[in-house]
Amino acid sequence: MTTPRTNGWTRRQALQSLALASAAGVVPKGFAEQGAQRRIGVALVGLGGYSRDLLAPALQLTRHCRLAGIVTGSPGKIPEWQGKYDIPDGNVYSYDDFHRIADNPDIDAVYIVTPNHLHKPQTLTAANAGKHVWCEKPMAMDAAEGEAMVKACRDNRVQLTIGYRMQHEPNTRRFMAMAEERPFGRIIKLRADAGWFGFRDGPSDAWRTKPEFGGGAMYDMGVYCVNAVRYASGLDPVAIRAWDETARRDIFPDVDETMRFLLEFPGDIVAECTTSFGRNLNTLQVDCERGWYVMSPFQGYEGNAGRASDGTVFEPQLGKTPRMQAEQMDQDALAILNNTAPRVPGEDGVADMRVLDAAFESARNNGTRIEIP
């Protein structure tokens, strides 16, 4: 477990240092010096709604990367993508021949945007092919899978970053800095709630209701809460109690529709969190000795705004969707170009998976307190 920061060395600095050490030697000689003159060629793995509606359009707005290829299990989608984005035949892959990407110098990184159970095998394929990996959250089905992904990328000297877009958003980064600065004194309590009532009739992607695919609210939206209270405190939790409060078992018979959980942090800090497919929830609040600050929405595609008890206002910063995704991918591309640690290394995703593993164990045992390794 992570202990409170000492001597000014924060948990995030430690993660980034580890990721940088893992990536040492990744960039070919002369690559970094090209800087902004070179753009990272990105292949999207999985052509569902997030890739179609957000990532592909966002790549058209980026300065440091470009859409270079696609990987899909749905051949019928290929003509539309090739026609719209001028993708050559040689940069189109199926899941079965994805490994051939090793022979394609036009593609530097892959962005994995598939159901959760595919994240590990596809990351290992990409890493073994010598490609950098950007993987959507949650990074894996459990912490053991996440650790295997980190190891594969480290062994192949490629970067692994997790698609926590919020950590690239300016107001969120201000909250992360405040965890270090403590402008209102010691943090006492945090609250993070993330949910969407749009799944009132069940998710349009059927895999989100299947446990073997990584379905359920905790995997899909609960990771926003976990990641948020970690970056807003600068600490890792040491224990959790969780309760599955699913109300509609006719729609969600095998996965959680709603999960409530209580996290314990070093220094007697606590975090209360709720995630749900049946409620609209989108708030992050930090209560301190001498005040508070809050962001709501805190994990929207746009319009993330907040305020503090001293009158400070956090106005939205990035503009309309998909500016956030463009910022995220530009920053991840710069990490590759400059051979520096990504903002959200794979180790950060593993830390979240440890919390999720403990949450599921606690929920199966009616809220039993589970220590987080």
Side-chain angles (χ1 to χ4, degrees):
M1 72 183 67
T2 300
T3 56
R5 59 178 68 82
T6 58
N7 299 325
W9 182 252
T10 67
R11 181 188 176 285
R12 185 153 308 281
Q13 288 171 324
L15 278 176
Q16 291 184 335
S17 176
L18 177 59
L20 182 57
S22 299
V26 166
V27 180
K29 185 176 181 179
F31 187 91
E33 286 78 3
Q34 296 178 41
Q37 280 116 25
R38 188 185 188 285
R39 303 178 78 188
I40 293 297
V42 179
L44 294 177
V45 183
L47 305 183
Y50 195 69
S51 286
R52 180 191 65 233
D53 300 334
L54 293 161
L55 294 181
L59 280 163
Q60 313 314 304
L61 304 177
T62 58
R63 294 176 295 164
H64 304 294
C65 46
R66 59 187 177 84
L67 177 56
I70 54 175
V71 183
T72 182
S74 303
K77 296 180 180 180
I78 294 173
E80 179 182 357
W81 278 76
Q82 283 192 289
K84 188 170 185 178
Y85 296 109
D86 196 27
I87 299 170
D89 291 342
N91 290 8
V92 176
Y93 300 88
S94 70
Y95 294 157
D96 293 334
D97 69 1
F98 179 26
H99 60 279
R100 293 195 303 105
I101 205 167
D103 301 321
N104 192 335
D106 200 34
I107 296 172
D108 304 293
V110 302
Y111 196 147
I112 296 173
V113 204
T114 50
N116 304 333
H117 71 296
L118 296 176
H119 290 182
K120 177 193 170 185
Q122 291 174 341
T123 293
L124 267 55
T125 296
N128 290 332
K131 304 302 180 182
H132 302 284
V133 180
W134 304 346
C135 183
E136 257 309 301
K137 58 80 193 165
M139 74 177 295
M141 295 290 288
D142 54 40
E145 285 195 356
E147 289 167 353
M149 293 161 66
V150 169
K151 182 179 185 301
C153 291
R154 181 187 302 124
D155 289 349
N156 286 282
R157 296 189 173 186
V158 296
Q159 289 195 7
L160 170 62
T161 186
I162 311 305
Y164 283 118
R165 54 188 169 80
M166 297 316 306
Q167 292 199 38
H168 300 268
E169 190 273 328
N171 283 334
T172 301
R173 294 194 65 77
R174 182 71 195 113
F175 269 45
M176 293 167 73
M178 291 167 76
E180 180 74 15
E181 297 164 3
R182 303 290 174 92
F184 299 104
R186 185 175 68 88
I187 294 174
I188 298 171
K189 180 180 177 180
L190 302 99
R191 180 166 195 92
D193 299 321
W196 188 46
F197 192 55
F199 286 160
R200 57 188 176 275
D201 299 320
S204 56
D205 296 326
W207 69 265
R208 296 182 192 275
T209 65
K210 299 183 184 300
E212 65 271 24
F213 294 160
M218 192 66 183
Y219 274 124
D220 192 67
M221 305 195 77
V223 289
Y224 284 122
C225 301
V226 173
N227 201 248
V229 295
R230 286 180 53 244
Y231 64 62
S233 66
L235 299 168
D236 276 332
V238 297
I240 189 171
R241 299 181 68 195
W243 298 267
D244 185 338
E245 298 183 343
T246 298
R248 299 175 298 167
R249 284 297 178 192
D250 56 326
I251 299 176
F252 301 96
D254 301 312
V255 299
D256 53 295
E257 174 195 20
T258 299
M259 188 85 80
R260 180 170 59 88
F261 53 102
L262 177 69
L263 288 163
E264 301 173 18
F265 290 84
D268 296 323
I269 300 170
V270 297
E272 296 177 354
C273 304
T274 303
T275 185
S276 180
F277 279 164
R279 298 164 59 188
N280 284 327
L281 304 167
N282 205 335
T283 299
L284 170 63
Q285 179 157 340
V286 183
D287 293 326
C288 309
E289 289 177 299
R290 300 189 300 274
W292 51 264
Y293 43 104
V294 62
M295 195 184 311
S296 185
F298 84 96
Q299 45 90 14
Y301 289 152
E302 61 182 70
N304 298 283
R307 56 196 175 90
S309 56
D310 64 355
T312 299
V313 176
F314 303 91
E315 297 286 355
Q317 298 290 315
L318 285 180
K320 296 293 184 181
T321 305
R323 284 299 332 171
M324 184 183 297
Q325 286 80 4
E327 176 70 14
Q328 169 195 336
M329 290 187 285
D330 261 341
Q331 292 301 321
D332 289 340
L334 282 172
I336 295 171
L337 287 167
N338 296 325
N339 196 22
T340 56
R343 285 186 174 177
V344 193
E347 291 84 355
D348 203 355
V350 172
D352 284 347
M353 295 313 304
R354 292 194 184 105
V355 178
L356 263 65
D357 289 350
F360 290 131
E361 181 181 353
S362 177
R364 286 192 299 268
N365 291 280
N366 300 314
T368 298
R369 181 181 183 273
I370 303 295
E371 292 188 358
I372 301 167

